[in-house]
Amino acid sequence: MKRIAIFASGNGSNAENVINYFQQHRCGGEVALVICNKPDAAVLDRAARLGVDAVVMPRAEINDPDRLLPVLDEYGVDVIVLAGFLLMVPGFLIERYRNRIVNIHPSLLPKYGGKGMYGSHIHEAVVAAGERETGITVHFVSEGCDEGEVIFQASVPVAGNDTPADVEAKIHELERLHFPRVIRETFID
Ligand code: GRF
């Protein structure tokens, strides 16, 4: 059984979707743990409701190998999934989990990636630029921000009258459709 830790910072709709998927498909993977840097994040309620352990670790603890790695070892974590995780991933974690950490980014990287490109900022920029399509990217996490090898992309049309909120809804639907399966195909199958 491959044991997955999800790192998240906020709402956690992707975390919930991934947890549900691996609870429903007995495919050799399971979400063992959620790590969250915000004590009041909704993802913590979602994890509790789904019976998955969650650990709150503020930024300083996540950046401290002596605090973070023992938690991952205690849970026997093989694979890390970033799902709406807003902190930079520390270098020691990338080294330890090289090619075993993926992130989902809500644009077609390399477009709309990098510093400052997170959450609604991305969808606002996509609409402001008059893009005709946007999408999602699942990629390995490397030292550069949003720069790791791309594993999977899916796109969706942007209509002329779409608001950033409309685009966000389309993106969430793409994420719901694809992200758990891509994790499974990358690490489990
Ligand atoms: C998602 O759009 C994800 O692609 C991005 O941040 C958002 C997180 O949403 N990295 P949620 O917390 O999973 O609801």
Side-chain angles (χ1 to χ4, degrees):
M1 190 60 99
K2 283 265 171 63
R3 292 170 66 79
I4 301 166
I6 297 178
F7 284 42
S9 299
N11 179 35
S13 67
N14 280 285
E16 174 159 2
N17 185 33
V18 172
I19 292 168
N20 270 328
Y21 181 93
F22 284 99
Q23 286 181 346
Q24 285 160 16
H25 297 71
R26 302 191 168 277
C27 63
E30 66 180 354
V31 178
L33 174 67
V34 169
I35 291 189
C36 177
N37 60 301
K38 293 277 180 202
D40 54 355
V43 69
L44 297 170
D45 303 322
R46 296 181 192 261
R49 180 157 41 76
L50 294 165
V52 174
D53 282 6
V55 175
V56 176
M57 300 188 91
R59 182 199 300 256
E61 287 184 25
I62 286 178
N63 285 336
D64 181 348
D66 295 330
R67 302 297 287 269
L68 180 60
L69 296 180
V71 173
L72 298 178
D73 289 341
E74 182 191 333
Y75 281 87
V77 171
D78 301 300
V79 166
I80 294 174
V81 169
L82 310 183
F85 182 63
L86 293 179
L87 301 180
M88 284 297 289
V89 178
F92 70 83
L93 193 66
I94 296 173
E95 256 167 51
R96 171 92 177 265
Y97 282 86
R98 179 82 55 198
N99 294 325
R100 292 189 291 149
I101 314 185
V102 294
N103 178 46
I104 185 155
H105 187 85
S107 76
L108 293 170
L109 288 175
K111 285 182 142 184
Y112 305 100
K115 212 169 156 27
M117 279 294 151
Y118 61 90
S120 56
H121 299 294
I122 297 168
H123 312 308
E124 282 158 15
V126 163
V127 169
E131 294 284 358
R132 305 295 302 272
E133 68 166 12
T134 185
I136 60 171
T137 302
V138 181
H139 64 95
F140 286 111
V141 174
S142 65
E143 278 77 3
C145 183
D146 297 330
E147 286 174 4
E149 184 196 338
V150 171
I151 299 167
F152 173 82
Q153 292 188 307
S155 60
V156 65
V158 179
N161 58 353
D162 274 352
T163 64
D166 295 330
V167 173
E168 186 168 10
K170 290 180 178 179
I171 289 292
H172 275 301
E173 179 57 12
L174 275 189
E175 292 177 336
R176 195 188 62 74
L177 276 175
H178 296 292
F179 193 28
R181 177 184 52 76
V182 173
I183 295 167
R184 173 182 176 168
E185 288 173 3
T186 304
F187 295 118
I188 317 286
D189 288 350

